[in-house]
Amino acid sequence: MRCLFSLLLLAASARAAILTLQSARFIITDAKGEQVRSEPISTTHAAKPIELGKSDTLKLTFQVFDKEEGQGVQPHQTFLRFYDEVSGEEGLQPVRVASNGKAKFELNLAKPPLSLPPTKADTPLKLSLIIGAPSHSPLTVKLPDLLLPASQAPPVHPDEASFHPLPEIHHTFRPDQKLPPRPISAVFTAVVLAPWVVLLGLWSQVSIRVPYIFSPSILPFIATLGAFEGLLFAYWVDLKLGQVLFYGAGLSLATIFTGKNALAAIGSRRTGKGN
Amino acid sequence: MAPKTTPSTPKSAPSPVASLWKAYNDETPDRLKFVDSFLVFLMLSGITQFLYCILVTSFPFNAFLAGFSSTVGQFVLTASLRSQVNPTTKDFKDVSPERAFADFALGSIVLHFFVFNFLG
């Protein structure tokens, strides 16, 4: 199948007529419109490169011609190809061809087309003309090299800075806090403990009687309160929160019971006394 | 708390502060004095801890928080116990001293639970 297809292609190209380029020439004009250089383009031997200044304009004229029929042909597609062999960049610029096969292309370096690849001052662009028409076999014509001034550096994207690795982050930590010297600690320990002396001294002045504290109704309440404090102390020393909540739940039930008993006993004694 | 002394003070009285002190000593029940001395103790203890934090260091800050907040919290709980137990306070006539003490015990246990959490 593929073999048959390629055979057909071969037959088509063999029968296809041949296009040629006629009266191709280029004209270089400067910014004022004065003609600097004007030469016919030879397609057979390599010509001197076309050198353009910053504000020069290159005018390229040619006619696509069918020699057998002796008349101009309007091809389907006509492209100028700029190719930088060093950087590998290329650009394709379509060229409008009139129905009589005549074409005129203008390259104004003051307003370069988007298809022109970026250039450096010393590397020429390879210039070629690619012409395709269904009735004719395709044609690629090598044109003289194009030596252009260096293009401007591409503009920097505003977000360009954010596409680089950031400098390494170095964390700085506060230095470890230190304990004060031992004498100061000792002095303030004494100062902080001094209120206990005051408390015991004041309490010794106040004579208060707690006659029923060891009675069976009150003692359990005092004991469960003490147990609560002991539980919290044990929590500080080594218990986990879950254990404390578990033991505390049981202890609180006992405390509610003993507390209700104890306070009811005290209350009845107080109101009994009052009456 | 202390009875009004200013209108009844004769001109020969040494000073209002001294007469206030005397009236407090004479007229406050011992139970309230007992509670009051505990309040004084808490106040002094809190002040000394706070001074240590300001003057020396707050380095084990959790320990400072635990100690200072325990004194402040206990002071608040004790002061409210005192005002509810005080027979001359008219506002808490319907609250029995037993009920007040039960509240005090419950509040203290909860406070101590938080304080021991902070001790670390």
Side-chain angles (χ1 to χ4, degrees):
Chain A
M1 187 67 198
R2 168 176 277 192
C3 185
L4 184 69
F5 185 67
S6 57
L7 257 178
L8 276 174
L9 260 181
L10 196 67
S13 64
R15 205 193 300 159
I18 296 167
L19 289 174
T20 54
L21 218 56
Q22 271 204 341
S23 62
R25 89 182 275 117
F26 70 88
I27 303 164
I28 302 174
T29 53
D30 62 11
K32 293 169 191 163
E34 284 175 33
Q35 196 165 312
V36 178
R37 190 175 156 194
S38 169
E39 275 177 35
I41 298 174
S42 157
T43 54
T44 51
H45 64 273
K48 241 175 40 173
I50 304 169
E51 204 171 336
L52 290 179
K54 270 193 178 173
S55 53
D56 289 351
T57 304
L58 171 72
K59 260 185 208 159
L60 201 63
T61 55
F62 57 86
Q63 187 184 16
V64 185
F65 200 76
D66 186 342
K67 263 189 180 168
E68 289 174 14
E69 294 189 13
Q71 61 178 18
V73 176
Q74 184 181 34
H76 255 202
Q77 299 188 332
T78 310
F79 290 105
L80 264 179
R81 177 175 183 253
F82 308 97
Y83 178 57
D84 187 339
E85 279 184 328
V86 179
S87 65
E89 298 259 16
E90 70 169 350
L92 284 170
Q93 173 71 36
V95 179
R96 184 186 294 271
V97 181
S99 56
N100 58 3
K102 286 189 177 172
K104 194 165 87 175
F105 172 73
E106 228 173 86
L107 178 66
N108 185 357
L109 278 197
K111 274 193 284 177
L114 287 176
S115 58
L116 198 65
T119 51
K120 289 179 183 169
D122 50 348
T123 53
L125 288 178
K126 300 277 174 198
L127 194 60
S128 50
L129 189 63
I130 302 167
I131 297 169
S135 54
H136 298 75
S137 55
L139 177 68
T140 304
V141 184
K142 269 199 69 180
L143 301 178
D145 291 353
L146 203 55
L147 204 53
L148 300 179
S151 47
Q152 284 179 343
V156 179
H157 193 273
D159 289 342
E160 202 266 347
S162 45
F163 287 92
H164 293 289
L166 292 171
E168 196 182 337
I169 297 172
H170 292 284
H171 294 283
T172 53
F173 297 98
R174 266 195 299 183
D176 280 348
Q177 285 181 296
K178 285 180 197 146
L179 285 173
R182 281 190 173 272
I184 295 181
S185 291
V187 167
F188 271 90
T189 308
V191 170
V192 170
L193 289 181
W196 282 98
V197 180
V198 177
L199 175 69
L200 294 178
L202 287 174
W203 274 358
S204 68
Q205 299 294 311
V206 178
S207 58
I208 116 163
R209 296 167 321 255
V210 275
Y212 305 112
I213 193 163
F214 292 115
S215 73
S217 59
I218 296 173
L219 188 59
F221 183 45
I222 303 296
T224 45
L225 285 183
F228 245 116
E229 295 298 324
L231 174 68
L232 291 176
F233 182 77
Y235 173 42
W236 181 39
V237 173
D238 75 343
L239 283 187
K240 297 270 180 291
L241 180 61
Q243 293 170 302
V244 170
L245 292 179
F246 178 71
Y247 297 139
L251 198 52
S252 65
L253 285 178
T255 311
I256 287 171
F257 182 70
T258 57
K260 190 164 165 48
N261 268 349
L263 295 176
I266 292 175
S268 66
R269 200 169 291 144
R270 178 173 60 89
T271 48
K273 242 187 211 170
N275 292 337
Chain B
M1 192 164 110
K4 289 174 191 167
T5 50
T6 21
S8 60
T9 311
K11 282 185 179 177
S12 60
S15 82
V17 176
S19 59
L20 179 67
W21 178 245
K22 190 170 178 300
Y24 172 79
N25 265 339
D26 292 347
E27 296 179 21
T28 311
D30 275 355
R31 286 164 181 264
L32 290 187
K33 281 183 185 168
F34 187 78
V35 173
D36 285 339
S37 37
F38 188 50
L39 287 173
V40 169
F41 158 74
L42 287 173
M43 207 166 67
L44 290 178
S45 179
I47 289 172
T48 50
Q49 289 178 49
F50 194 68
L51 280 181
Y52 177 78
C53 175
I54 289 176
L55 296 178
V56 185
T57 175
S58 66
F59 163 40
F61 193 60
N62 55 327
F64 166 72
L65 277 184
F68 188 67
S69 61
S70 69
T71 55
V72 171
Q74 197 66 60
F75 186 90
V76 170
L77 291 174
T78 313
S80 70
L81 171 71
R82 187 198 188 283
S83 64
Q84 291 183 44
V85 168
N86 191 348
T88 57
T89 311
K90 300 281 184 292
D91 295 341
F92 299 109
K93 275 291 173 214
D94 358 328
V95 181
S96 70
E98 291 75 32
R99 164 73 199 277
F101 183 76
D103 287 350
F104 172 74
L106 176 66
S108 298
I109 286 170
V110 172
L111 173 74
H112 293 172
F113 176 68
F114 283 107
V115 163
F116 274 104
N117 261 317
F118 267 112
L119 269 183

